[in-house]
Amino acid sequence: LFFSFHSLALHPERVLVATGQVGKEPYICVWDSYTVQTVSILRDMHTHGIACLAFDLDGQCLVSVGLDSKNTICVWDWRQGKVLAAAPGHTDRIFDISWDLYQQSKLVSCGVKHIKFWSLCGNALTPKRGVFGKTGELQTILCLACARDEITYSGALNGDIYVWKGINLIRTVQGAHGSGIFSMNACEEGFATGGRDGCIRLWDLNFKPITVIDLRETDQGYKGLSVRSVCWRGDHILVGTQDSEIFEVVVHDRTKPFLIMQGHCEEDDLIWSLVDHALIARCNMEEPIRCAAVSTDGIHLALGMKDGSFTVLRVRDMTEVVHIKDRKEAIHELKYSPDGAHLAVGSNESSVDVYGVVQRYKKVGECVASSSFITHMDWSTDSKYLQTNDGNGRRLFYRMPSGKEVTNREELKLVQWSSWTCVLGTEINGIWPKYSDISDVNSVDANFNSQVLVTADDYGLVKLFRYPCIRKGESGFVCFLVP
């Protein structure tokens, strides 16, 4: 099953994962991270969404916090799908919850200007509110880590770390971070914290500082980088950021973090090395980017923007070659012709504009037969034809570079396509499941030499088919499923 999820917890054995859904009637899915198969579904206790999740030390119980008005806390026997205990969490948002791994049946939750210490006895879940006293000001607490001897460490919105003994605040580590601390992770070596200031700080088991790593000042860093999640094991630290990046930092060489994954960051243009998966160049654009294409010779990079414009950059130094705005609605697709002479630009205005590369991207043609926004495009190997798909489910053909529509299909019988990324066509009818909607399949790519085709759809599935795949309703091999 595929859904938008707000929370995640890893089982102590590090194979099973629990994810919490966002929605009117959300549920929790426990799944195997190797087989990607669902193990258990937990439902009917939360509304609006699941804010946070945590397994206990032996992995038998799972605690969840809802996004309902009472921020309800539930303790589950997740294998049986049964609720062991439930209680209102707090009147304000809860941001983190953790089992005390050194005290059986004890939990700690924190959120907007509160921290609570919970005891689980049978089916009763009872809280005691943390006492701030005069040791520190009442703060919003964003994250937690439990330690031995009833000690709890918590990260505050102002960048301080609050240290608790039982339910009482006993000391503060002022200025641990320059602003809010979003993540705190305990391990055998000590503790790691990460914050909005873009820094990771490592602490020993007594919470004395070891070192600080400012990701903003590293080769892959940038202004505004914010750490949202951190995990420290041995000599390696994994860091998640607000832009959906994942960095790996080797502690003994901490000035050179390795960027493992870049998620969606609308206004950033990134160039990667396919050999070592390293980020080669990064350029921040003023407008959100919707699509990109690299010229056949690898010299130019074209970027389609949300505002209807497109920009062409030189790959070697990321300097601008040209910026053109002929449309008012978003550019959805870009494709260079195989001979490198033309760039096709498909927009949400139901048209494809054709530009001459050697004429400094002068407009030389226009394809206007579509009645809806352009979704996909492919050039023929001789650069003389273009096929398009649009939002109304139509597949159209044009002569290039004029953009004149081809209505005589006999003319197309011998056409060979340079790529196949269109989702519609008799050659790939078999990718569509029975009773599917025209928008269910989002992406397609064919490898002509190997005669295979891969699709990605709305259900989180990536499927592998033989190409061509003509018979409709034919099932492919499912490669990947996001629960």
Side-chain angles (χ1 to χ4, degrees):
L1 297 174
F2 175 76
F3 51 77
S4 298
F5 61 86
H6 190 280
S7 51
L8 181 149
L10 181 64
H11 190 274
E13 294 177 358
R14 314 187 77 77
V15 174
L16 298 178
V17 178
T19 47
Q21 191 179 17
V22 175
K24 187 177 179 180
E25 297 177 349
Y27 57 85
I28 300 161
C29 182
V30 182
W31 49 280
D32 188 303
S33 61
Y34 286 91
T35 64
V36 206
Q37 296 299 309
T38 300
V39 177
S40 182
I41 296 285
L42 313 176
R43 59 173 85 240
D44 300 330
M45 284 303 296
H46 296 296
T47 61
H48 298 89
I50 315 298
C52 36
L53 295 163
F55 285 101
D56 66 358
L57 180 60
D58 60 11
Q60 297 301 309
C61 293
L62 176 71
V63 64
S64 60
V65 179
L67 287 172
D68 56 280
S69 60
K70 295 182 179 180
N71 300 285
T72 304
I73 296 176
C74 295
V75 177
W76 303 80
D77 177 341
W78 61 267
R79 291 190 186 276
Q80 300 295 323
K82 295 180 179 179
V83 177
L84 301 178
H90 195 67
T91 53
D92 275 319
R93 276 288 305 275
I94 294 175
F95 295 127
D96 197 10
I97 192 164
S98 176
W99 293 86
D100 188 330
L101 304 182
Y102 302 97
Q103 295 186 86
Q104 193 172 9
S105 301
K106 300 286 185 179
L107 302 98
V108 188
S109 66
C110 67
V112 177
K113 295 189 174 181
H114 78 277
I115 184 169
K116 287 184 177 179
F117 299 85
W118 299 81
S119 296
L120 176 64
C121 183
N123 63 353
L125 190 60
T126 55
K128 290 184 179 179
R129 191 156 182 167
V131 179
F132 286 79
K134 296 181 179 180
T135 307
E137 62 178 295
L138 182 63
Q139 274 283 320
T140 291
I141 306 297
L142 301 174
C143 56
L144 298 163
C146 295
R148 298 180 185 277
D149 303 322
E150 295 185 71
I151 297 293
T152 303
Y153 299 100
S154 62
L157 185 62
N158 68 349
D160 291 350
I161 289 173
Y162 283 14
V163 185
W164 306 81
K165 174 76 171 179
I167 65 170
N168 297 301
L169 180 62
I170 57 172
R171 71 182 178 99
T172 63
V173 181
Q174 295 184 344
H177 284 265
S179 52
I181 302 172
F182 289 119
S183 180
M184 186 175 289
N185 177 246
C187 65
E188 292 181 359
E189 291 80 5
F191 300 87
T193 56
R196 182 180 289 162
D197 58 3
C199 293
I200 306 158
R201 298 204 67 163
L202 303 184
W203 312 79
D204 67 15
L205 292 170
N206 296 314
F207 230 90
K208 293 180 180 178
I210 298 173
T211 190
V212 59
I213 304 165
D214 190 341
L215 286 180
R216 297 168 303 177
E217 301 300 322
T218 63
D219 293 341
Q220 306 287 3
Y222 54 91
K223 184 179 179 181
L225 186 152
S226 174
V227 175
R228 295 304 174 94
S229 181
V230 62
C231 180
W232 178 21
R233 293 293 182 274
D235 199 33
H236 295 261
I237 306 167
L238 285 179
V239 184
T241 75
Q242 89 285 359
D243 283 339
S244 304
E245 299 151 322
I246 298 177
F247 289 92
E248 181 179 17
V249 182
V250 180
V251 176
H252 70 261
D253 193 15
R254 54 184 177 269
T255 60
K256 297 179 180 179
F258 179 66
L259 186 55
I260 294 175
M261 187 181 77
Q262 168 71 40
H264 177 62
C265 183
E266 286 191 331
E267 297 174 7
D268 279 353
D269 167 40
L270 306 159
I271 298 179
W272 299 82
S273 165
L274 292 177
V275 177
D276 55 11
H277 300 233
L279 182 63
I280 299 171
R282 180 179 192 143
C283 182
N284 184 263
M285 310 301 291
E286 294 181 0
E287 289 292 329
I289 302 166
R290 286 292 175 265
C291 52
V294 179
S295 61
T296 311
D297 56 14
I299 293 175
H300 287 175
L301 171 65
L303 305 170
M305 308 299 185
K306 185 180 179 181
D307 68 350
S309 67
F310 72 93
T311 299
V312 179
L313 304 176
R314 289 184 186 85
V315 171
R316 70 171 183 269
D317 55 10
M318 302 297 275
T319 57
E320 185 178 295
V321 176
V322 69
H323 179 80
I324 296 172
K325 191 176 190 304
D326 288 334
R327 298 292 170 184
K328 294 180 180 179
E329 294 189 29
I331 305 300
H332 194 86
E333 180 79 309
L334 294 165
K335 283 279 170 63
Y336 279 96
S337 60
D339 62 8
H342 298 98
L343 174 67
V345 180
S347 76
N348 281 6
E349 293 184 28
S350 310
S351 62
V352 178
D353 298 316
V354 186
Y355 298 87
V357 174
V358 294
Q359 295 103 314
R360 195 171 169 78
Y361 291 90
K362 177 184 176 182
K363 188 173 177 179
V364 295
E366 188 175 346
C367 311
V368 294
S370 286
S371 57
S372 184
F373 56 91
I374 306 301
T375 59
H376 305 83
M377 300 187 301
D378 290 297
W379 286 87
S380 62
T381 53
D382 59 8
S383 302
K384 292 182 178 180
Y385 295 93
L386 185 80
Q387 69 166 335
T388 66
N389 292 166
D390 64 27
N392 280 341
R394 297 178 68 201
R395 180 191 183 191
L396 298 171
F397 304 90
Y398 302 92
R399 291 191 194 97
M400 291 286 107
S402 67
K404 184 178 180 180
E405 185 185 5
V406 178
T407 55
N408 181 8
R409 296 302 171 95
E410 290 295 319
E411 183 180 341
L412 301 166
K413 276 189 173 181
L414 299 178
V415 171
Q416 293 183 325
W417 299 104
S418 176
S419 63
W420 195 293
T421 59
C422 286
V423 298
L424 301 170
T426 54
E427 298 91 332
I428 59 166
N429 272 347
I431 70 172
W432 294 93
K434 291 181 180 179
Y435 316 115
S436 57
D437 184 78
I438 192 65
S439 62
D440 285 351
V441 178
N442 303 311
S443 306
V444 169
D445 197 14
N447 184 315
F448 298 128
N449 291 333
S450 299
Q451 296 184 308
V452 291
L453 177 137
V454 65
T455 68
D457 63 30
D458 275 352
Y459 305 103
L461 294 169
V462 175
K463 296 179 180 178
L464 188 68
F465 297 87
R466 295 201 177 278
Y467 177 87
C469 180
I470 297 171
R471 194 175 66 189
K472 200 159 189 175
E474 205 172 86
S475 61
F477 173 70
V478 180
C479 306
F480 184 65
L481 170 64
V482 180

